[in-house]
Amino acid sequence: MERMFGKPIVTQEQMRARIREMGRQISADYAGKDLVLVGVLKGAYAFYADLARAIRIPVRVDFIVVTSSGSRSKRAAKVKLATELTEEIAGKDVLLVEDIVDSGLTAQHLVKALTKKRPRSINVCTLLSKPDQRVADVQVAYVGFTVPNQYIVGYGLDYRQKYRNLPYLAVLDQKELLGE
Ligand code: IMP
Ligand code: MG
């Protein structure tokens, strides 16, 4: 990790500034509300920790672990909730915190599953969005950065479970993938 890995597309400084803005926006939008931040693990862990601390209203924190298997186009059928929420969300305002919304199938599945628990409201917040890849009709209320259709790692995002600990976002190039 000493050498630069991948081609950085969002620097730590850019990320810090954008997350500060998002925190400000969310604090204003949810002032006086009973906000529960639901992080989608594992990918959202780094973003979640920084976003939560950029929010200036009291929030509850909770997490769900999602596993997806099979081909990416069939992800909808394969998205599984591996854990349950520990907080009661009925009557509360839920913000689902994602690392990246790609096809949107994961977010759509999660919104549907959590809506059954009767929150007062539910919105999606994601660090990254790849709108070119969108298949599902899912509303994303907060987007950190819109990115092109390239494979991104770092800051929580993985390639085969690795590189989540890179402190910045980078595009993996073919040579590096072949070295795996
Ligand atoms: P979706 O269901 O297609 O929106 O995919 C969402 C999930 O796919 C994310 O939570 C990530 O785990 C994974 N994913 C999609 N694109 C990327 C990427 O560029 N890098 C790393 N993971 C990705
Ligand atoms: Mg992943």
Side-chain angles (χ1 to χ4, degrees):
M1 215 67 84
E2 276 151 29
R3 68 187 177 97
M4 287 296 269
F5 182 89
K7 188 160 72 68
I9 60 159
V10 179
T11 65
Q12 286 172 275
E13 289 68 33
Q14 288 170 318
M15 207 134 53
R16 212 169 289 142
R18 182 70 188 114
I19 293 171
R20 204 177 302 133
E21 274 174 18
M22 294 174 88
R24 216 176 287 137
Q25 184 67 53
I26 291 165
S27 306
D29 294 349
Y30 286 91
K33 298 198 170 148
D34 206 349
L35 178 59
V36 187
L37 287 182
V38 176
V40 183
L41 297 177
K42 301 174 199 171
Y45 84 90
F47 174 50
Y48 186 102
D50 287 343
L51 180 71
R53 287 175 293 179
I55 294 175
R56 296 288 172 227
I57 56 170
V59 301
R60 292 169 216 264
V61 303
D62 209 344
F63 300 92
I64 43 180
V65 178
V66 168
T67 56
S68 53
S69 53
S71 78
R72 293 182 65 172
S73 55
K74 295 201 182 114
R75 191 175 278 139
K78 301 278 177 63
V79 173
K80 274 212 298 234
L81 273 183
T83 60
E84 266 301 323
L85 291 172
T86 60
E87 295 296 315
E88 176 64 60
I89 61 166
K92 301 201 171 81
D93 297 288
V94 170
L95 189 58
L96 202 58
V97 181
E98 281 260 31
D99 54 352
I100 184 164
V101 177
D102 185 18
S103 69
L105 292 169
T106 305
Q108 188 182 48
H109 179 90
L110 293 176
V111 167
K112 215 179 276 176
L114 296 184
T115 298
K116 290 188 184 137
K117 298 176 187 290
R118 308 206 162 278
R120 196 161 79 104
S121 68
I122 181 160
N123 276 317
V124 177
C125 174
T126 186
L127 176 65
L128 303 176
S129 173
K130 283 184 187 169
D132 296 349
Q133 292 286 100
R134 207 58 43 82
V135 175
D137 182 23
V138 61
Q139 300 255 21
V140 184
Y142 305 95
V143 174
F145 298 93
T146 297
V147 291
N149 186 23
Q150 285 172 303
Y151 201 82
I152 297 166
V153 295
Y155 197 68
L157 289 97
D158 72 304
Y159 173 69
R160 297 187 176 168
Q161 296 304 328
K162 293 199 315 205
Y163 311 114
R164 294 192 196 272
N165 61 318
L166 273 183
Y168 50 88
L169 289 164
V171 172
L172 267 189
D173 70 37
Q174 220 49 36
K175 274 199 305 262
E176 285 167 315
L177 290 183
L178 290 174
E180 278 294 308

